[in-house]
């Protein structure tokens, strides 16, 4: 699976500190704060698994668990998602110097994220 790898995951809820406490206690994860993103904590890639994050999501988003797939062109991929029966939830969004991402649901309602390689 090298063409479009899973590159990140998130487990987000309304209370980021509670998420951090729960997952660090249950799985002994070392979760680091991220500058500029209060209540968002990362678990780095340890050479075995893919790095990800736990914490508080955006106010308008429900609690969710999501994987992120890296693609060359988010807009082109979202067009294929929509043509294939999926639905765009968050269109291509750029957080300068951090990430370009989008979210969609598949036909079964699963939330999936997209990212583009660093420019």
């Amino acid at each position: 699976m090298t063409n479009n790898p899973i590159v990140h995951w998130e487990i987000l809820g309304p209370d980021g500190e509670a998420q951090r406490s729960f997952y660090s206690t249950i799985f002994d994860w070392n979760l680091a704060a991220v500058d500029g993103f209060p209540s968002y904590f990362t678990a780095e890639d340890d050479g075995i698994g893919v790095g990800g994050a736990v914490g508080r999501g955006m106010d308008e988003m429900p609690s969710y668990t999501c994987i992120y797939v890296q693609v060359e062109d988010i807009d082109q991929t979202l067009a294929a998602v929509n043509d294939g029966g999926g639905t765009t939830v968050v269109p291509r969004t750029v957080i300068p110097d951090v990430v370009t991402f989008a979210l969609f649901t598949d036909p079964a309602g699963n939330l999936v994220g997209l990212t583009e390689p660093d420019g």
Side-chain angles (χ1 to χ4, degrees), residues 4 19 29 31 38 40 43 46 55 60 67-68 70 91 105 107 117-118:
N4 295 292
Q19 292 290 92
W29 290 350
L31 297 166
Y40 189 85
D46 60 5
E60 61 273 15
I67 61 163
Y68 286 79
Q70 182 174 293
T105 53
D118 295 334

Side-chain angles (χ1 to χ4, degrees), residues 25 27 36-37 41 43 48-49 63 67 69 73 77 99 107 115:
T25 299
F27 297 119
F37 295 89
F41 308 95
I48 298 171
S63 297
I67 61 163
V69 178
D73 185 317
T77 303
V99 69
T115 66

Side-chain angles (χ1 to χ4, degrees), residues 30-44:
N30 181 18
L31 297 166
V34 177
D35 289 339
F37 295 89
S39 295
Y40 189 85
F41 308 95
T42 59
E44 296 300 320

Side-chain angles (χ1 to χ4, degrees), residues 10 15 22 24 33 35 37 39-40 48 56 59 75 78 81 90-91 93-94 96 101-102 105 107-109 113 116:
E10 291 178 321
D15 184 337
F22 178 83
S24 64
D35 289 339
F37 295 89
S39 295
Y40 189 85
I48 298 171
R56 181 177 182 273
D59 289 338
D75 293 324
L78 286 176
V81 163
V90 175
T93 302
V94 177
F101 77 100
T105 53
E116 290 178 347

Side-chain angles (χ1 to χ4, degrees), residues 1-8 50 67-71 112:
M1 183 176 19
T2 58
N3 289 337
N4 295 292
I6 295 171
V7 295
H8 185 71
V50 174
I67 61 163
Y68 286 79
V69 178
Q70 182 174 293
V71 298
V112 178

